[in-house]
Amino acid sequence: MPVESGSSAAARQAKQKRKSHSLSIRRTNSTEQDRSGLQRDMVEGQDSKLPLSLRSNLLDLFSQIEREFENLYIENLELRREIETLNDRLTAEGQTFEGADLAKGALKTKASHSTSQLSQKLKTTYKASTSKIVSSFKATTSRAVCQLVREYVGHRDGIWDLSITRTQPMVLGTASADHSAMLWSIETGKCLLKYMGHQGSVVLDSFCVCAASGDQTAHIWRYMVQLPTPQPVADISQTPCEDDVDFSDKDEADCEVEGPNDCPSIRVATTTLRSHQGVVIAADWLVGGKQVVTASWDRAANLYDVETSELVHSLTGHDQELTHCCTHPTQRLVVTSSRDTTFRLWDFRDPSIHSVNVFQGHTDTVTSAVFTVGDNVVSGSDDRTVKVWDLKNMRSPIATIRTDSAVNRISVSVNQKIIALPHDNRQVRLFDMSGVRLARLPRSNRQGHRRMVCCSSWCEENSTCNLFTCGFDRQAIGWNINIPVLLQEK
């Protein structure tokens, strides 16, 4: 009579267990409808301020989660039994080897190899199941709408920076590596004025215009423009701000963009601010409009008096080049960021004491740090994180946003308190102040940025475009962002 080998018996036993597992899954699924109906009746009997449709939707989602984890739990038990069976079989086979040490070594090698395979199988199953759960959540919460309204094209090189006027008339300003800065009509996309007084790449600030440059100077120039008559906005279909947009990773060929021929230009600055020994990378107006602060690659930030062009203070202390500077909208506070992985808060509220605080919350270059209307500072870094800080207690961040790409010059909306994150990977993401992701701006072959996105700026006083972005694809884009209140409070 033939004798069945130990390996054949173990394989048949494992097959029977998998069969019983599949039967148990079917029996579980057969009772799902009864259980769901019972839970729904219980929920309807409870008092809640949530609408019934929303409660039912949440109930269905949590039921899916429960079923997925129940299946994972059952499969985990079966895998453990298979591991025990495999170990018993290996132990039996190990007894046939000559010498205890040889059997022990062979058993250890086989067991470790089999265990690693089963662990990988369990990880794959878990990832697939949780991905389904996450996808179901995205399908129910992706109600934010982002619409590309207008493109501002005219620069001959990448656009480093953009800004919006803080007073009427509202115009958009862009600064480019082509040594020029341009003012645009937000409503029509027409170039209103072009400044060509710098000898290096230009970085722009608010207006009356202060433009920092690679020629180690900052220029202040006044402008007078006549806004053209607004044209009807083209009918652009609304696009959901999530992952169901066709994203392409292929770089499109650069095209030679002709600058606006009928745009008036000026070449002479009203005031020139000197004293930096390196590239001036950023500038911002201190509250009141009588002083301006500049940040440079010479590791210093300078505070100037605009009327006299005199240097009032030199803010030193950073160990490496500065990357950005920002002033508080209502108080005499300045925050500077640097490649030394820190950002510093400078306090000029008391004329006799100029205090400084150093914050070490990042592990790579801090690309920007900005104030909000309240008592918060938001910092972005090349370490792919954005952190929200409370000015009253800045020992540790109150929220941390982790992304998949380096973050460039961020901006925070005044009314909605939404953070716009421009990335090196051509994406722009929106988060709330607690770190919850709200949306991602659409990007495809037909719309969006095709190169690194350098800067973002909000303009909530304008009903047509309330967010602007610019990048190395030589264009600035105006967006209309509509974030439902329910999604923001989620």
Side-chain angles (χ1 to χ4, degrees):
M1 180 176 181
V3 180
E4 186 177 24
S5 64
S7 59
S8 301
R12 186 178 63 181
Q13 185 179 5
K15 183 177 181 181
Q16 291 176 351
K17 289 181 178 181
R18 285 194 296 269
K19 183 176 180 181
S20 62
H21 165 61
S22 62
L23 292 175
S24 65
I25 294 297
R26 283 195 289 268
R27 285 196 297 269
T28 302
N29 293 336
S30 64
T31 60
E32 288 175 358
Q33 295 181 352
D34 297 337
R35 182 168 55 184
S36 300
L38 179 61
Q39 291 177 347
R40 187 172 287 105
D41 293 339
M42 294 175 60
V43 172
E44 290 178 356
Q46 298 176 356
D47 295 334
S48 175
K49 297 181 180 180
L50 294 176
L52 181 59
S53 59
L54 181 58
R55 294 170 63 193
S56 300
N57 193 12
L58 290 174
L59 178 60
D60 293 338
L61 289 174
F62 285 115
S63 299
Q64 294 178 28
I65 295 175
E66 182 182 2
R67 289 195 298 270
E68 293 291 343
F69 280 100
E70 182 180 3
N71 294 341
L72 286 175
Y73 177 74
I74 295 173
E75 186 166 352
N76 188 21
L77 293 179
E78 293 298 329
L79 289 174
R80 288 180 180 274
R81 295 192 188 98
E82 290 185 13
I83 292 174
E84 293 176 359
T85 303
L86 181 61
N87 288 335
D88 294 339
R89 188 183 69 185
L90 292 174
T91 303
E93 292 178 356
Q95 294 175 357
T96 62
F97 288 101
E98 295 181 0
D101 294 338
L102 181 60
K104 188 180 296 183
L107 177 62
K108 183 177 180 181
T109 303
K110 289 187 176 181
S112 61
H113 178 67
S114 301
T115 303
S116 63
Q117 288 182 338
L118 292 172
S119 300
Q120 186 63 33
K121 180 179 179 182
L122 183 60
K123 288 180 180 180
T124 304
T125 305
Y126 174 77
K127 287 182 179 180
S129 302
T130 53
S131 296
K132 293 179 181 178
I133 298 172
V134 173
S135 298
S136 63
F137 274 111
K138 285 184 177 181
T140 57
T141 58
S142 300
R143 299 188 182 92
V145 176
C146 307
Q147 182 182 6
L148 190 154
V149 179
R150 189 163 287 107
E151 295 178 344
Y152 304 85
V153 180
H155 282 291
R156 295 180 178 274
D157 207 337
I159 302 177
W160 287 107
D161 201 2
L162 56 74
S163 183
I164 312 296
T165 53
R166 297 177 181 176
T167 58
Q168 295 294 336
M170 303 291 291
V171 297
L172 168 68
T174 57
S176 170
D178 63 6
H179 303 181
S180 72
M182 292 184 179
L183 302 184
W184 307 82
S185 167
I186 295 177
E187 302 296 339
T188 65
K190 181 181 179 181
C191 178
L192 305 175
L193 188 64
K194 185 175 183 179
Y195 179 70
M196 305 175 65
H198 280 293
Q199 302 301 316
S201 297
V202 185
V203 180
L204 200 63
D205 181 55
S206 308
F207 312 96
C208 87
V209 183
C210 178
S213 173
D215 60 9
Q216 304 181 7
T217 65
H219 291 184
I220 297 177
W221 41 284
R222 301 181 182 277
Y223 69 93
M224 181 178 296
V225 296
Q226 181 177 359
L227 296 179
T229 304
Q231 301 295 325
V233 179
D235 185 13
I236 305 176
S237 58
Q238 293 182 340
T239 307
C241 312
E242 283 298 337
D243 300 329
D244 50 356
V245 181
D246 177 29
F247 294 100
S248 173
D249 291 331
K250 296 181 180 179
D251 292 337
E252 297 184 4
D254 289 332
C255 55
E256 292 295 331
V257 179
E258 293 296 333
N261 296 326
D262 58 344
C263 180
S265 61
I266 56 177
R267 297 177 179 272
V268 180
T270 304
T271 304
T272 301
L273 306 178
R274 308 179 187 274
S275 70
H276 279 296
Q277 304 302 314
V279 171
V280 183
I281 194 65
D284 201 2
W285 293 90
L286 208 61
V287 59
K290 296 182 179 180
Q291 293 179 324
V292 65
V293 61
T294 59
S296 172
W297 285 1
D298 62 7
R299 306 182 183 182
N302 289 343
L303 183 65
Y304 295 93
D305 182 274
V306 175
E307 293 184 1
T308 63
S309 303
E310 293 182 356
L311 176 63
V312 179
H313 294 289
S314 183
L315 313 179
T316 59
H318 282 289
D319 295 330
Q320 294 188 37
E321 297 91 337
L322 271 63
T323 58
H324 190 247
C325 65
C326 179
T327 61
H328 195 279
T330 59
Q331 304 182 58
R332 291 178 60 81
L333 297 173
V334 177
V335 61
T336 57
S337 53
S338 170
R339 291 176 57 89
D340 62 9
T341 74
T342 70
F343 66 94
R344 296 182 176 228
L345 178 64
W346 310 81
D347 190 347
F348 296 98
R349 288 175 293 186
D350 188 343
S352 60
I353 302 176
H354 302 145
S355 63
V356 57
N357 295 300
V358 183
F359 302 97
Q360 301 175 339
H362 293 281
T363 60
D364 206 339
T365 298
V366 182
T367 54
S368 63
V370 299
F371 291 101
T372 66
V373 175
D375 294 325
N376 297 113
V377 172
V378 184
S379 59
S381 171
D382 279 344
D383 64 7
R384 304 182 180 184
T385 66
V386 172
K387 299 190 177 185
V388 182
W389 309 78
D390 188 348
L391 283 176
K392 299 177 181 178
N393 181 16
M394 296 191 67
R395 295 180 180 179
S396 60
I398 60 177
T400 298
I401 302 170
R402 304 187 185 279
T403 68
D404 60 353
S405 179
V407 181
N408 296 312
R409 294 190 174 181
I410 59 178
S411 63
V412 183
S413 67
V414 175
N415 298 332
Q416 302 182 77
K417 294 185 178 180
I418 300 175
I419 311 171
L421 278 57
H423 289 285
D424 278 359
N425 64 358
R426 300 171 285 178
Q427 306 291 350
V428 180
R429 293 183 175 92
L430 306 180
F431 289 81
D432 65 13
M433 295 293 289
S434 61
V436 177
R437 175 178 157 177
L438 301 176
R440 178 172 64 179
L441 300 192
R443 186 188 67 80
S444 66
N445 290 332
R446 297 176 299 276
Q447 63 175 338
H449 289 286
R450 299 183 295 275
R451 296 288 185 274
M452 177 179 74
V453 187
C454 299
C455 182
S456 63
S457 181
W458 290 91
C459 177
E460 293 166 293
E461 290 79 5
N462 189 278
S463 59
T464 305
C465 302
N466 54 4
L467 176 64
F468 296 87
T469 58
C470 67
F472 268 18
D473 54 1
R474 310 178 187 180
Q475 66 174 342
I477 299 179
W479 305 85
N480 183 272
I481 309 299
N482 182 13
I483 306 292
V485 177
L486 180 62
L487 188 56
Q488 296 182 47
E489 296 176 352
K490 174 179 171 288

